Amino acid sequence: MRYLITSALPYINGIKHLGNLVGSMLPADVYARFLRQEREEVLYICATDEHGTPAEIAALEEGLDVAEFCQRQYERQADIYQQFGLSFDHFGRTSAPENHELTQHFFQQLEANGFIQERDISQIYSLDDQRFLPDRYITGTCPHCGYEKARGDQCENCTKVLSPTDLLNPRSTISGSTNLEVRTSKHIYLLLDKLSDEIRQWVEAQTHWPQLTQSIAMKWLNEGLQSRGISRDLSWGVPIPKEGFENKVFYVWFDAPIGYIAATKAWGEAEPGRDWESWWKNAEEVRYTQFMAKDNLPFHTIMWPATILGSREPWKMADYIKGFNWLNYYGGKFSTSSKRGVFLDQALDIAPADCWRYVLMANAPESSDSAFTWEQFQKPVNKELADNLGNFINRILKFTASRLGNTLPEGGTPGDLEAELQTTCDQLVKKLRDHLHKMEFRRATETLNALWTAGNQYIDVRAPWALFKTDKDEAAVVIRTCINLIRLYAIASAPFIPHAAETLYDALKLTDEERHHTMTEAANLTILAAGRPFEVPAPLFQKLDDDRLAELMAQFGGE
């Protein structure tokens, strides 16, 4: 089995916030890192989603050509994700030639198979802007929930899919003008209704999907699928290869999921010998997992599968879609457009990436929406990372170096307490691996913390600093066991806190082979033997004191 992993494509209109990270890219990365550690063949693909009206609006606000704006934002996002340790095998762009080519190919297949239709539709025209307004160029009040900043394609508050003419009190996103009128324009529709039975059959077969994913897909199907427009009056996007549509491009939600395949194609063509098609065509031996937040689920459970099914080609469809709820910020939703919450560049100025990775995974919104507060950030950083993990490492390595030098001491034989600890570690590692295989990230972090706690309980009982005064051989056993625990902690923690893990690999002077041990192999607490050298690293994590917490709450809001 090979593992194909994709996370929802981050939109290009600015640096993403913590909610974007925890809802797709970060859990996908933890899963990919874990599977690689298990020596599985993994391909983790992502890309920036660059088309659609928000890109044009953001470029307009910055006074840039949209292509130049997207290039700058792509470079900024790629740099941020690298700093967060996201281990994409390829991070592409939906504006790349591969995506233009494949999007046009899918359209032509759908048209040839009778799933495309031209329609004259009523569309909003702005007299002040002198142009038709695509759905995201229109803002208004949602007719379903009353949210006053709903977009013309979807209400981000209640997730209802909308048409621009559904909005109450509509206004131009470009100018704010309400001087709008309805005119007729020709557009292309994907006939989802004709594919409804096939989509339902596929969705109902996915009985192992998370409840959130399954329920959103079935909600759409039970409400009845409607044909959906896949063309827009824009200049930035994938051109429509059809006479009469020269001034239109494809709807961003049509071309964006195709970007997963396109980015894989770009990865494959970057080096000789990479067979990218084997990951996507007739790929029975590939297990494909998608990660995304709940507002993306309708498109990935309905619209993207419809595109594949309607192509009548053997493209790989998702085996598992890990859907996440929302991470909220003090009772409100994180929002790029509203600039609400903590954004990734700001986060890195506050604390190292590993702190954010661990805390976000410990609070991942898997079964329901979860809340980010500064108090909930402080507690796991201080209690779990700094105290439970960092303090254990610091005190045993500093003690050993100061009393015995920078090598593991000789003497003694492990006894009953070491055997008991070994059993505990074996059980917790098995539990941790099970949770990660099942993509149960909150439970996985709880288990990882329990593994760190086991080491602290052992060292408190065995107290090597006291034993050193009375029985140096017995103290040597405890020291070797504890330093082997550090090795286990580095490897078991690596999917979550990879930068700290690398620091520990270097401190313990692990060989390249030892750095690539599985968690099961790392659980052997006798691998590092007497005479092995080590260094004492700087403290891995700094605590966040109450004064700093108050500063952050004042800076970012929240009470």
Side-chain angles (χ1 to χ4, degrees):
M1 186 65 67
R2 295 182 292 156
Y3 292 83
L4 175 63
I5 298 169
T6 62
S7 53
L9 308 184
Y11 199 68
I12 199 67
N13 65 332
I15 297 298
K16 301 297 102 179
H17 52 67
L18 297 180
N20 293 124
L21 185 66
V22 74
S24 60
M25 293 176 284
L26 181 54
D29 181 70
V30 171
Y31 185 57
R33 285 178 176 274
F34 166 66
L35 290 176
R36 293 188 193 109
Q37 192 180 72
E38 295 279 290
R39 302 197 181 101
E40 302 289 0
E41 187 176 356
V42 174
L43 185 63
Y44 177 22
I45 295 292
C46 194
T48 42
D49 180 4
E50 300 190 9
H51 296 138
T53 52
E56 289 196 352
I57 293 171
L60 189 66
E61 289 175 350
E62 293 199 16
L64 295 173
D65 173 78
V66 67
E68 181 185 0
F69 170 81
C70 288
Q71 176 65 35
R72 287 189 185 184
Q73 290 298 326
Y74 171 79
E75 292 170 0
R76 289 183 68 199
Q77 289 200 29
D79 177 63
I80 288 286
Y81 301 145
Q82 184 178 34
Q83 292 182 63
F84 268 95
L86 301 183
S87 58
F88 306 124
D89 289 289
H90 184 78
F91 185 61
R93 306 177 62 184
T94 59
S95 62
E98 293 86 0
N99 198 44
H100 281 233
E101 173 193 333
L102 281 164
T103 298
Q104 291 173 344
H105 169 80
F106 271 101
F107 166 71
Q108 289 164 339
Q109 288 297 114
L110 289 165
E111 186 175 40
N113 293 328
F115 298 115
I116 295 294
Q117 187 180 83
E118 292 182 25
R119 293 183 184 176
D120 289 326
I121 66 166
S122 294
Q123 190 172 352
I124 293 179
Y125 185 88
S126 171
L127 283 84
D128 292 336
D129 298 314
Q130 295 187 333
R131 59 175 293 171
F132 282 105
L133 296 179
D135 43 23
R136 286 205 175 190
Y137 273 33
I138 308 165
T139 306
T141 301
C142 175
H144 301 286
C145 71
Y147 181 61
E148 294 182 353
K149 295 182 180 179
R151 302 186 305 253
D153 64 338
Q154 185 181 24
C155 175
E156 67 173 9
N157 185 59
C158 70
T159 76
K160 285 277 191 180
V161 173
L162 303 170
S163 295
T165 51
D166 295 335
L167 293 173
L168 306 177
N169 305 315
R171 58 192 178 275
S172 167
T173 305
I174 306 169
S175 62
S177 172
T178 58
N179 191 16
L180 312 176
E181 66 180 28
V182 177
R183 294 185 180 180
T184 299
S185 180
K186 181 172 288 189
H187 280 276
I188 291 173
Y189 275 70
L190 173 61
L191 303 181
L192 292 176
D193 45 338
K194 286 185 68 173
L195 288 158
S196 180
D197 289 344
E198 293 178 56
I199 298 168
R200 179 181 289 274
Q201 183 178 2
W202 177 70
V203 168
E204 289 179 345
Q206 313 307 316
T207 55
H208 57 294
W209 276 3
Q211 182 180 357
L212 176 66
T213 305
Q214 189 82 19
S215 63
I216 287 179
M218 291 308 300
K219 179 174 180 288
W220 267 48
L221 287 165
N222 291 336
E223 288 176 353
L225 298 185
Q226 304 296 318
S227 298
R228 187 153 179 85
I230 59 169
S231 57
R232 294 293 185 268
D233 289 289
L234 296 169
S235 58
W236 176 248
V238 179
I240 297 173
K242 186 175 179 63
E243 186 177 350
F245 290 86
E246 292 81 4
N247 296 321
K248 300 180 192 288
V249 298
F250 285 111
Y251 174 41
V252 62
W253 265 115
F254 181 69
D255 84 81
I258 298 170
Y260 299 133
I261 303 177
T264 310
K265 185 174 189 287
W267 165 84
E269 293 176 347
E271 287 188 17
R274 288 178 176 171
D275 183 8
W276 72 268
E277 287 192 340
S278 71
W279 290 91
W280 283 102
K281 282 191 173 180
N282 297 306
E284 295 299 322
E285 83 293 353
V286 172
R287 178 171 172 79
Y288 177 23
T289 304
Q290 299 176 346
F291 289 81
M292 71 200 63
K294 61 184 176 183
D295 50 342
N296 288 337
L297 285 171
F299 299 98
H300 287 74
T301 58
I302 302 294
M303 191 164 175
W304 173 221
T307 300
I308 293 177
L309 291 167
S311 76
R312 300 302 189 228
E313 294 180 328
W315 297 101
K316 180 68 180 176
M317 297 176 71
D319 294 295
Y320 194 80
I321 301 179
K322 176 68 173 180
F324 288 85
N325 290 279
W326 283 327
L327 179 70
N328 292 321
Y329 185 78
Y330 287 93
K333 186 171 175 285
F334 275 90
S335 172
T336 300
S337 58
S338 300
K339 297 180 173 58
R340 176 180 174 81
V342 184
F343 292 78
L344 301 187
D345 52 347
Q346 299 169 326
L348 290 173
D349 289 335
I350 296 166
D354 280 357
C355 292
W356 294 105
R357 289 177 62 106
Y358 179 80
V359 172
L360 290 172
M361 285 291 87
N363 200 35
E366 293 176 290
S367 58
S368 62
D369 290 353
S370 62
F372 174 86
T373 68
W374 289 109
E375 296 89 344
Q376 289 172 329
F377 180 65
Q378 180 192 41
K379 183 178 178 181
V381 168
N382 291 0
K383 300 296 185 185
E384 297 172 23
L385 292 176
D387 284 345
N388 210 16
L389 175 62
N391 189 48
F392 175 86
I393 292 164
N394 189 256
R395 62 176 172 165
I396 192 63
L397 292 183
K398 286 185 72 174
F399 169 76
T400 306
S402 65
R403 295 291 189 275
L404 300 166
N406 290 76
T407 57
L408 272 66
E410 296 181 352
T413 303
D416 291 344
L417 287 174
E418 284 70 41
E420 182 180 323
L421 175 65
Q422 181 68 71
T423 298
T424 299
C425 289
D426 289 340
Q427 291 171 344
L428 287 171
V429 164
K430 181 181 183 303
K431 189 176 178 182
L432 175 58
R433 291 176 63 247
D434 287 345
H435 288 319
L436 286 171
H437 275 299
K438 295 175 183 176
M439 291 165 268
E440 298 169 344
F441 296 105
R442 292 181 74 145
R443 291 180 176 178
T445 52
E446 288 170 3
T447 305
L448 183 61
N449 189 47
L451 188 62
W452 300 338
T453 299
N456 279 287
Q457 292 171 339
Y458 168 78
I459 199 174
D460 286 343
V461 169
R462 294 292 266 153
W465 36 87
L467 279 174
F468 185 75
K469 299 173 184 177
T470 59
D471 190 336
K472 286 186 170 55
D473 284 348
E474 193 75 0
V477 171
V478 179
I479 290 168
R480 291 198 304 273
T481 301
C482 286
I483 294 178
N484 272 285
L485 269 175
I486 294 173
R487 170 178 165 272
L488 168 59
Y489 291 168
I491 290 170
S493 304
F496 299 89
I497 47 174
H499 302 96
E502 286 292 336
T503 298
L504 294 177
Y505 295 164
D506 292 340
L508 298 182
K509 300 185 182 298
L510 299 187
T511 65
D512 186 64
E513 180 183 354
E514 289 169 340
R515 291 167 188 247
H516 290 90
H517 279 175
T518 65
M519 291 184 194
T520 303
E521 292 166 340
N524 184 335
L525 300 181
T526 61
I527 289 287
L528 299 182
R532 283 289 298 256
F534 68 89
E535 298 292 339
V536 181
L540 293 179
F541 302 101
Q542 299 294 328
K543 288 189 175 183
L544 191 68
D545 63 32
D546 291 344
D547 289 342
R548 179 59 175 147
L549 193 72
E551 291 174 3
L552 292 169
M553 293 176 70
Q555 179 182 353
F556 291 95
E559 54 186 34

